[in-house]
Amino acid sequence: LHELYSQVNSIDSEESQEEDELLQIISNLTKKNQKPPTVRELSQVTRKYDTPTLRDKLKKLAIAGVLKEISTPQSVRYLICEEGE
């Protein structure tokens, strides 16, 4: 039972770390380009995920209220939500 609990916590902390890394990349790209990044722009910077996996991770963060999806005629951009948004 302790081993199972340890494995579950390990998975949660790994996901949390991946989300933090992704948010840092989004923040950096937003500052650099003066606009929030698209999935394509993010996938060019982080080779860790394929595009469908990256899109799923961004969607989950948007549903959780961490990111805001901004639809444009060509694509969707992802902006980090500020406190109170």
Side-chain angles (χ1 to χ4, degrees), residues 17-70:
Q17 184 179 1
E18 289 174 353
E19 289 173 359
D20 289 344
E21 289 173 9
L22 200 52
L23 292 173
Q24 184 63 48
I25 292 168
I26 291 170
S27 176
N28 291 343
L29 283 175
T30 300
K31 288 175 188 170
K32 178 182 173 190
N33 299 331
Q34 298 296 310
K35 59 185 174 186
T38 63
V39 173
R40 181 176 179 270
E41 292 166 342
L42 286 165
S43 67
Q44 290 174 336
V45 174
T46 176
R47 302 277 183 205
K48 190 173 186 177
Y49 312 108
D50 58 15
T51 302
T53 302
L54 184 58
R55 188 174 284 118
D56 287 345
K57 287 186 175 294
L58 293 170
K59 194 66 112 169
K60 287 178 186 174
L61 288 169
I63 290 169
V66 177
L67 293 178
K68 186 177 194 177
E69 292 181 316
I70 302 170

Side-chain angles (χ1 to χ4, degrees), residues 1-17:
L1 182 61
H2 292 289
E3 182 63 30
L4 178 62
Y5 185 75
S6 173
Q7 288 174 356
V8 169
N9 282 340
S10 170
I11 292 169
D12 287 346
S13 66
E14 188 176 314
E15 278 185 32
S16 178
Q17 184 179 1

